[in-house]
Amino acid sequence: MKLLSIKNLDLENKKVFIRCDFNVPLDEDKNISDDRRIRSALATINYCLDRDCSIILASHLGRPKGEFNPEYSLEPVAKRLHLLLKRDVILAKDVVGEDAKQKAQDLKCGEVLLLENLRFEEGETKDDEALAKELASMAEVYINDAFGVSHRAHASVHGITKFFDAEHKAAGFLLDKEINYFGKIVNNPTRPFAAIVGGSKVSGKLEALINLLPKVDKVFIGGGMAFTFLKQMGYNIGASLVEDELLEEAQCIMDKAKELGVKFYLPVDVIVAEKFSENAVSKIVTAQEIPDDWMGLDIGPATVRLYREALNDVQTILWNGPMGVYEMDKFARGSSKVAHFVADSYATTVVGGGDTADLVQRIGLDEDMSFISTGGGASLELLEGKLLPGVEPLMVKKDA
Ligand code: AMP
C-alpha cells in the first residue's frame, strides 16, 4: 500500500496541521509514565520544523466525553514536548474556540502550537463535518501521524482529509512506517512465519486469526482465549475464561489450520488459581487436569518450553496479546518468558497491541524487538485485513 508521502509535499514556510497520537498513560500526579507515543512523533515534527513550518499539533487524551475537563488537559504533553523538542510549545485553551483560532492565526515559522484535547469537542468522535472544516481551516497542509487512532473515523483523522487535496496532505513518518511494516510482515514475510496470539478473548481477535491463518506457518495460542479452544477439544477448563458462543468458531479455526497445513499450538499446561487475585493459591497442572472451580491464568512451564522449541526455526514472529494475566506478577511468568525468547531470537519480531507493547516495555525488552507498534486496535484491524478510515484518504490513487 502506497501512501501520500510527506517527502513529496511542498512544506517550506507552510502552516501544517499534524494529527498525532499523544494518548499517553499518566500516573495520579499527572506524570507521563511512558512517552513512547510522543517520541515516535518527533521525526515528523522535526522534519516540518527543518522546513520552517509553523506547526499545529492535535491529539486526544483519554475519554473526556465531548466537553472540557481539566483532568484530560494536554498540558503534561505540552511540557514533555517542550523538553523533547527543546523549544517552546504554545498550548491553546481550546480546540477550535477563539483562543485556538487566534493562536493558530498568529503562529509564526518555527513555532509550535498544541491544541487542547480533541475529544473536548463532541464532534470529534462523530466525524462531524463542521468540526473537521474548522480544524482544516487552521492550516494549509494536513499530516496524519496518529496510527493509534487511524482505525477510527473521527473528525481529525477522517473528516478533515476531505478539505485537503493530494498535494496538501500526507502520512507522517510514523504512520507510514506502521502501515508498511505490517503490510510487509503480513503479505511478504520471511518464512517460517509464526503468529503468537494471546489476550483475554477469542472474540477480540477472531477476525485477525482467520485472516492470518492462510499467511502463517505456525500459530501459538495463549492467554484467556486458549480456554475456548481447550474446551472445544473436550477438556475440562474449570472456571477459566471461556466464550461458549464461539466454540464452533474455535473448531472452524482449528479445522482450517489443519486444512492449510498450519501448525496450531495450544497450551499443554497452565497455571491455575482458586480466584482471580495476586494472592490466590495457585499451581501448575496439565491442560487435561484443570480442577473444577479453578481458573487458568497463565501458560505453564512445559508450554513455554514447547513454544520456545517450536519457534526455534522461525524467521518472522508477530506477537499480539499476553500469555496470561501479566498485570499480576504471579501470572506474568509465561508472558515474560515468551518475551525473552522472542527478543533473543534472530527472527524479525513485530509486537502489536497495547498490552503486549506494555509488557515488553515493562521487562525492558522493547529495544530488542524489530518493531513495536504504537497502536493496539489499529494494528489488530490491519491484521484483520481492513482498510483503516484514517489511512484510506491518504493512499496514492492509481489514476492520480
Ligand atoms: P486483550 O485486550 O484481549 O489483548 O487482552 C489483554 C488482557 O488479557 C490482559 O489484561 C490480561 O490480563 C488478560 N488475560 C490474559 N490471560 C488471561 C487469562 N488466562 N484469564 C483472564 N484474563 C487473561
Side-chain angles (χ1 to χ4, degrees), residues 198-201 205 223-224 227 241 276 296-298 320-327 355:
S200 54
K201 292 178 177 170
K205 306 214 167 97
F227 298 99
L241 202 65
F276 191 84
L297 297 180
D298 195 8
N320 191 307
M323 298 288 99
V325 184
Y326 75 99
E327 297 93 334
D355 280 311

Side-chain angles (χ1 to χ4, degrees), residues 280-350:
V281 177
S282 65
K283 58 183 178 183
I284 304 166
V285 296
T286 62
Q288 286 84 346
E289 295 187 20
I290 301 176
D292 288 342
D293 301 328
W294 288 58
M295 54 183 79
L297 297 180
D298 195 8
I299 56 172
T303 308
V304 169
R305 281 201 297 279
L306 171 72
Y307 286 12
R308 180 194 289 134
E309 196 65 35
L311 279 165
N312 243 337
D313 65 337
V314 160
Q315 295 290 323
T316 307
I317 303 174
L318 179 77
W319 182 13
N320 191 307
M323 298 288 99
V325 184
Y326 75 99
E327 297 93 334
M328 300 183 199
D329 282 348
K330 200 166 193 169
F331 310 111
R333 214 176 152 83
S335 300
S336 165
K337 291 265 180 198
V338 169
H340 275 98
F341 61 70
V342 168
D344 286 345
S345 83
Y346 286 98
T348 301
T349 49
V350 180

Side-chain angles (χ1 to χ4, degrees), residues 5-257:
S5 168
I6 184 171
K7 290 188 180 160
N8 294 334
L9 296 177
D10 171 17
L11 287 172
E12 223 57 50
N13 295 314
K14 294 285 187 309
K15 199 166 273 183
V16 180
F17 183 103
I18 310 178
R19 176 40 161 122
C20 299
D21 178 8
F22 295 148
N23 187 27
V24 288
L26 299 171
D27 66 17
E28 51 285 1
D29 299 318
K30 297 269 171 274
N31 295 310
I32 297 172
S33 48
D34 174 8
D35 67 357
R36 200 159 18 112
R37 286 184 164 169
I38 303 180
R39 283 186 281 113
S40 305
L42 294 180
T44 298
I45 300 173
N46 282 324
Y47 182 86
C48 295
L49 284 172
D50 287 347
R51 277 146 192 83
D52 288 326
C53 294
S54 43
I55 297 179
I56 302 169
L57 301 173
S59 174
H60 71 289
L61 176 69
R63 294 173 192 265
K65 301 203 175 88
E67 58 186 43
F68 181 82
N69 180 344
E71 275 285 292
Y72 296 99
S73 168
L74 284 180
E75 202 178 333
V77 174
K79 283 190 185 147
R80 184 59 58 96
L81 268 171
H82 166 68
L83 284 177
L84 294 169
L85 289 172
K86 298 184 185 67
R87 65 172 76 209
D88 287 341
V89 174
I90 307 162
L91 178 63
K93 291 196 181 81
D94 43 33
V95 183
V96 286
E98 240 174 72
D99 188 67
K101 280 187 180 157
Q102 193 60 52
K103 285 184 168 133
Q105 204 180 342
D106 296 343
L107 207 63
K108 297 188 195 59
C109 295
E111 288 187 337
V112 180
L113 169 67
L114 175 63
L115 302 182
E116 252 304 359
N117 192 333
L118 286 162
R119 292 195 188 163
F120 287 170
E121 287 293 328
E122 216 185 344
E124 166 63 359
T125 54
K126 296 186 175 143
D127 202 13
D128 179 64
E129 183 152 341
L131 174 63
K133 195 173 178 181
E134 289 208 75
L135 290 170
S137 71
M138 290 182 178
E140 301 160 88
V141 175
Y142 171 78
I143 293 171
N144 180 358
D145 214 15
F147 175 68
V149 276
S150 288
H151 60 310
R152 306 266 183 232
H154 289 174
S156 65
V157 275
H158 179 257
I160 193 169
T161 57
K162 289 182 212 142
F163 299 98
F164 296 89
D165 61 23
E167 274 79 54
H168 294 88
K169 64 182 169 188
F173 291 114
L174 174 65
L175 182 66
D176 195 63
K177 187 168 148 196
E178 295 261 11
I179 299 290
N180 281 316
Y181 221 105
F182 270 100
K184 202 170 77 200
I185 285 293
V186 174
N187 299 316
N188 198 11
T190 314
R191 293 187 180 278
F193 175 23
I196 307 174
V197 187
S200 54
K201 292 178 177 170
V202 180
S203 48
K205 306 214 167 97
L206 187 64
E207 293 298 321
L209 264 176
I210 293 171
N211 191 44
L212 278 172
L213 272 183
K215 297 174 172 152
V216 297
D217 302 293
K218 306 184 186 197
V219 174
F220 298 85
I221 302 286
M225 68 192 294
F227 298 99
T228 300
F229 289 98
L230 290 173
K231 180 164 182 182
Q232 179 58 21
M233 286 176 70
Y235 295 163
N236 178 24
I237 54 154
S240 307
L241 202 65
V242 67
E243 288 167 290
D244 283 314
E245 66 290 0
L246 287 181
L247 289 170
E248 253 176 62
E249 288 279 2
Q251 187 61 51
C252 287
I253 289 175
M254 292 189 282
D255 290 345
K256 186 90 186 150

